[in-house]
Amino acid sequence: MRVYLKNPVVLQLIIAALTFAVYSFALQGEFKTMDDEYCIINNPQIRSFRYLKDVLTSSFFGGNSYYRPLVTVSFMTEYYFYGLNAYYYYLDNIIIHILSALSVFSLMFFISRKRMLAFSIALLFAVHPIQWEAVSNVPGRAILLSAFFAIHAFRFFCVAEFRKSAYLLSGLCLILGLMCKESAGVMPVIMLCYRWLLRMPVKGKRSVFKPVLPFFLINAVYLLVRRHFGVTHLFYWPNWQEALLGLISFLRGVITYFRLFFHPVDLQFDRAQLLFLSFDHPEVRITISFFLTLALLLFVFRQRILPEALFFIAWFVIELIPVSQFIVSIGVQPGYISLAEHFLYSACIGFFTVWALLTERLYEWMLKRKLLTESGFRILVIGVFGYLMILTVQQNIYSGNEISMFKRTLELNPSNLRVRYNLAYVYARRRQYADAEREFRKIVEVTPAVVNARIALGKALCDQRRYWEGLREYERIHDAGKLKHVLEKNIQMTFLVLRHQYEEMLKEDFNNGEAHYALGIVYSKTGKLDLAVAHFQKAALLRPDDPNVLFNLASSLAAQGDFQQAREVLEKLFPLLTEDDVLYSHALTLQENISQK
C-alpha cells in the first residue's frame, strides 16, 4: 500500500475520487433563485452562440459592475448540449473543482518536493466544507474558473525559469482567469512575492520585478478593456472613515474564517457580517488588537518561519484583498457586508499550506520525543479528513434543496434579509403562499421601506385570496421607484379580480349590500366615480345604518362635485358616530372641505 501511495498518479486518483464522492450529493439539486435565474434560466444570451459578441462586450449581471464573459460562454456551451438540465451544470462545477485540486497537488509538489505534503494540501483544498458554496451552486462557476486559470498561471510561472514556453502559457491563463472573475488580478502580486521570498535572485531587486512586469501589464490592459466596454461601476465608500470601518468589519469576519477552517459546523449561504458604524464599538478594539498581535508575532519570529510559510501567509492575505471591503463596498443589505464563504476558495490554498507545514513540524517534534507514533498520527489525520468530508457531504445535501439551504442559513443568521427574501420567493413560486407571507412579513417588519418585499407581501396575500389585505400593503408604498409599473399592474389585477368576484355575487343576489359596497370601493379606487356612487347608493338603501357605506358615498359625491347630496349624506352619518370613532374625524374633515368649496 505504501508503494502505491508514493505514486503521484495514485495520489491524484484518490483526490479525484474522494472529491467526487463528497460533492456528488450536489448533483440532485435544481437551479436556485438569485443568480441562477438571472445568468442561466432567464438569460437569453446563453440560448445561442450568435450572442457571443454581446457577451464579450457587456456586463455579467447588468449594472456595468462585473465582466465575466467566459463564465457566460461556459453556460452557453452547456445550454447547447444539455438545455436547462441542472445535473450537468453541477457536474461541470465538480469537474472544474477536481481539476483545480489536481493542479494544487502539482504546484505544491513542485514547491515542496514532498508528495504526501502536497497530497494533504490538495486534499484539504478539495474536500474541506468551506468550498461548498463555490462548488455546489452553479453561479460559483465564476470563482471556480477564475481560480482554475489563476492557479495554472502561477504554476506555469513557477516552471518558466526552466521552460521559457511556460511563460506564455502563464500569461494566457491569467488573461482567461481575468475574463472569468476580476479576482484573478491579484496573481501578479503573488508572483512577485514568490520571486522575492522563494526565488530571491543574486542580481538584485530589479530582476525580482522584471519577470512579473508583463503580468501587471496584462492587468492594465484588462482594466482598459473594461473601461472601453463601460464595465466600470463600483460601489465606493463615501469617505475614508467608513472605508476603514468596512475593512475592520471584514477583519472581524476573517477571525470567523479562521474558526471555520478548523470547526466548520455553521457554514452559511451568502454569509453576512454586521458593519461597524463607530470606532467605539468594543469589537473594533478586539479586532485591531488581535491582528496587531498576530503581526507582531510574525515579525518577532520571522527568522524561525520557513520561507514557504511566509509566502503562503502572503498568498492568503493577497487573495483576500479584493474582497476586504476597503477598496470597494460589497454589501448585502443595509448595515451588513458580505462575508461569503466562496471568498476563501483560492485564499484557502495559502491557509491550508501553512496548516500542513505547521502540522508537519509538530509531528516531527512529537515523533522525536516519542509523544506520538507514526500509526497514531495516521489515524489522527484520517479522522480529521473524515470529519471534514462528513461536513462537506452534509452541506451538499443542504444545497440539493434550496429551501433547506436557506432555512439552514436563517437558523444561524436570522438577520440575513437577502436569504429570507429568496426563501419567501421560493415558497411563492411553489405556491406555498402562507409560508411566503410569513417570510415577507418578517422582512417588512425590519425594513418597512423595502419596496420589493412590500409588493411581494401584497402579492402573497392576494394569492391567498385575501385581496383587501393585499391592497392595504400596496397602498402603504408611497414611492415604488423603479417598481412603479409592477405595483400598478398588481393593483389593477387585484381590482379586476375583486370586481369580477363581487359582480358574480350580485348575479346570484342583487340585494347583497356587502357586494355593492365592495364594488363601490373598487370603482372609487379605479377612478370610476359614477359607478362607485351608484353602488354606494344601492348599499346605503340596503344598509342605511352602516357608517362606512355612508362616509364613502359622501366622499364619492363630493369628489363628483355634488356637494349638496354629500352634505345630506353626512347629516345621516353623524348621528351614527361618537367623537371617539376614527371615522368621526374623517367625516369632520370632509364636511370642512365641502364647506370651503
Side-chain angles (χ1 to χ4, degrees):
M1 185 66 180
R2 290 186 181 182
V3 175
Y4 287 117
L5 289 178
K6 290 181 180 180
N7 188 328
V9 176
V10 173
L11 293 175
Q12 291 182 76
L13 286 174
I14 293 172
I15 291 170
L18 292 177
T19 306
F20 185 82
V22 296
Y23 280 101
S24 61
F25 294 88
L27 296 173
Q28 63 184 322
E30 298 178 353
F31 289 117
K32 301 180 180 70
T33 56
M34 296 181 77
D35 297 345
D36 296 45
E37 293 195 347
Y38 187 89
C39 59
I40 300 173
I41 299 171
N42 299 324
N43 185 2
Q45 290 184 333
I46 73 167
R47 300 295 195 271
S48 173
F49 283 101
R50 71 173 180 269
Y51 294 114
L52 190 58
K53 183 180 178 182
D54 295 333
V55 168
L56 294 172
T57 58
S58 60
S59 180
F60 183 64
F61 282 125
N64 297 323
S65 297
Y66 302 100
Y67 183 64
R68 299 169 185 177
L70 285 191
V71 179
T72 305
V73 170
S74 75
F75 294 146
M76 192 183 290
T77 306
E78 286 166 324
Y79 183 83
Y80 178 81
F81 287 106
Y82 316 126
L84 288 176
N85 189 334
Y87 175 90
Y88 294 101
Y89 292 75
Y90 285 108
L91 179 62
D92 289 342
N93 269 22
I94 295 170
I95 291 171
I96 296 167
H97 180 55
I98 290 172
L99 294 174
S100 294
L102 297 180
S103 298
V104 170
F105 173 81
S106 298
L107 175 64
M108 293 305 160
F109 181 60
F110 174 83
I111 292 175
S112 68
R113 299 300 175 186
K114 298 176 180 178
R115 286 190 183 89
M116 294 310 297
L117 181 67
F119 172 75
S120 301
I121 296 166
L123 191 59
L124 272 172
F125 173 84
V127 303
H128 196 288
I130 202 77
Q131 307 289 42
W132 83 277
E133 190 178 42
V135 183
S136 304
N137 294 281
V138 176
R141 180 71 54 80
I143 300 145
L144 299 176
L145 282 176
S146 177
F148 172 79
F149 288 120
I151 292 167
H152 276 82
F154 182 72
R155 185 164 163 249
F156 286 128
F157 177 80
C158 291
V159 301
E161 58 184 298
F162 308 107
R163 271 183 259 163
K164 298 301 179 185
S165 59
Y167 201 66
L168 294 175
L169 289 173
S170 179
L172 176 62
C173 286
L174 178 59
I175 293 169
L176 294 174
L178 287 167
M179 293 180 73
C180 296
K181 197 171 188 288
E182 51 280 349
S183 56
V186 302
M187 194 48 64
V189 183
I190 291 176
M191 292 172 177
L192 190 63
C193 287
Y194 173 77
R195 294 284 302 173
W196 179 40
L197 293 170
L198 299 184
R199 289 289 184 273
M200 179 65 81
V202 180
K203 296 179 181 178
K205 293 183 180 179
R206 184 179 176 186
S207 58
V208 172
F209 185 76
K210 186 176 178 181
V212 188
L213 179 60
F215 298 93
F216 283 102
L217 293 177
I218 288 172
N219 276 355
V221 172
Y222 164 76
L223 293 175
L224 290 173
V225 169
R226 286 188 59 159
R227 184 177 180 82
H228 176 73
F229 294 139
V231 188
T232 56
H233 182 66
L234 297 172
F235 301 93
Y236 294 104
W237 294 103
N239 53 64
W240 71 266
Q241 289 96 335
E242 289 191 35
L244 188 55
L245 283 169
L247 174 62
I248 297 170
S249 302
F250 179 76
L251 291 176
R252 169 62 187 85
V254 173
I255 298 174
T256 301
Y257 284 159
F258 289 153
R259 195 255 307 158
L260 289 175
F261 281 127
F262 297 106
H263 191 51
V265 294
D266 59 339
L267 299 173
Q268 303 171 24
F269 179 78
D270 201 35
R271 182 184 288 271
Q273 168 70 39
L274 188 67
L275 179 65
F276 294 134
L277 301 178
S278 168
F279 291 101
D280 295 328
H281 195 290
E283 287 193 29
V284 170
R285 301 189 188 95
I286 294 170
T287 301
I288 293 172
S289 300
F290 176 85
F291 282 98
L292 285 177
T293 303
L294 196 61
L296 181 62
L297 288 173
L298 287 173
F299 178 77
V300 171
F301 295 104
R302 66 189 183 280
Q303 300 297 335
R304 299 184 184 182
I305 300 174
L306 292 172
E308 290 83 357
L310 283 174
F311 168 68
F312 282 105
I313 291 171
W315 178 302
F316 179 77
V317 172
I318 293 165
E319 284 283 0
L320 290 179
I321 288 174
V323 294
S324 65
Q325 305 289 338
F326 184 67
I327 301 172
V328 293
S329 169
I330 308 175
V332 288
Q333 66 190 56
Y336 286 81
I337 58 170
S338 180
L339 198 70
E341 286 153 15
H342 65 247
F343 289 168
L344 293 169
Y345 186 77
S346 295
C348 70
I349 297 172
F351 189 91
F352 291 152
T353 303
V354 175
W355 182 2
L357 289 170
L358 287 173
T359 302
E360 183 185 48
R361 280 287 188 90
L362 182 62
Y363 166 67
E364 291 172 353
W365 181 83
M366 295 181 76
L367 199 64
K368 191 178 292 184
R369 286 161 178 75
K370 297 182 180 180
L371 298 174
L372 185 70
T373 63
E374 189 175 339
S375 58
F377 177 73
R378 253 192 240 110
I379 292 170
L380 185 62
V381 169
I382 292 170
V384 169
F385 276 107
Y387 165 72
L388 295 174
M389 290 170 67
I390 289 170
L391 293 177
T392 303
V393 169
Q394 182 185 57
Q395 286 303 127
N396 280 282
I397 291 172
Y398 281 129
S399 75
N401 183 317
E402 62 179 332
I403 287 182
S404 297
M405 184 180 76
F406 291 148
K407 287 175 72 174
R408 169 67 174 168
T409 293
L410 291 172
E411 285 172 6
L412 298 167
N413 183 9
S415 60
N416 192 323
L417 297 183
R418 188 159 74 163
V419 170
R420 191 173 296 283
Y421 181 87
N422 282 278
L423 174 60
Y425 178 79
V426 174
Y427 280 139
R429 191 175 61 184
R430 297 186 182 185
R431 301 187 178 182
Q432 297 174 235
Y433 301 124
D435 293 322
E437 177 201 345
R438 182 188 65 246
E439 299 303 329
F440 283 129
R441 282 197 185 280
K442 289 179 181 178
I443 295 170
V444 297
E445 284 171 7
V446 178
T447 54
V450 175
V451 174
N452 59 346
R454 181 76 69 178
I455 292 175
L457 173 58
K459 183 68 169 58
L461 289 165
C462 291
D463 286 332
Q464 297 176 73
R465 299 185 179 181
R466 293 155 62 187
Y467 301 110
W468 293 111
E469 290 181 64
L471 284 170
R472 280 196 291 273
E473 294 300 331
Y474 293 147
E475 289 171 353
R476 286 172 180 164
I477 300 170
H478 302 296
D479 181 11
K482 294 179 180 179
L483 297 176
K484 182 180 179 181
H485 67 288
V486 176
L487 177 62
E488 290 175 348
K489 182 180 178 181
N490 283 12
I491 291 173
Q492 289 172 6
M493 289 297 296
T494 305
F495 279 129
L496 187 65
V497 171
L498 283 170
R499 192 183 76 184
H500 176 75
Q501 176 180 304
Y502 289 113
E503 285 175 348
E504 290 297 312
M505 289 173 66
L506 290 177
K507 286 179 183 179
E508 295 179 5
D509 178 13
F510 188 72
N511 291 322
N512 187 326
E514 181 185 349
H516 280 293
Y517 173 66
L519 272 174
I521 296 290
V522 170
Y523 284 125
S524 67
K525 293 283 188 181
T526 53
K528 298 177 181 178
L529 291 176
D530 290 341
L531 292 170
V533 168
H535 281 286
F536 284 138
Q537 287 173 334
K538 183 65 177 176
L541 290 174
L542 296 167
R543 299 162 63 178
D545 297 328
D546 189 329
N548 290 306
V549 172
L550 295 175
F551 176 78
N552 280 283
L553 174 57
S555 298
S556 298
L557 288 167
Q560 277 188 317
D562 193 343
F563 302 119
Q564 181 58 38
Q565 281 199 60
R567 284 194 196 95
E568 293 174 2
V569 174
L570 285 174
E571 287 174 3
K572 296 177 183 178
L573 172 63
F574 279 114
L576 302 174
L577 301 173
T578 65
E579 293 185 5
D580 294 331
D581 291 330
V582 175
L583 202 59
Y584 183 81
S585 61
H586 292 309
L588 280 177
T589 303
L590 179 61
Q591 187 181 54
E592 290 173 5
N593 290 337
I594 291 171
S595 299
Q596 290 174 4
K597 293 177 181 179

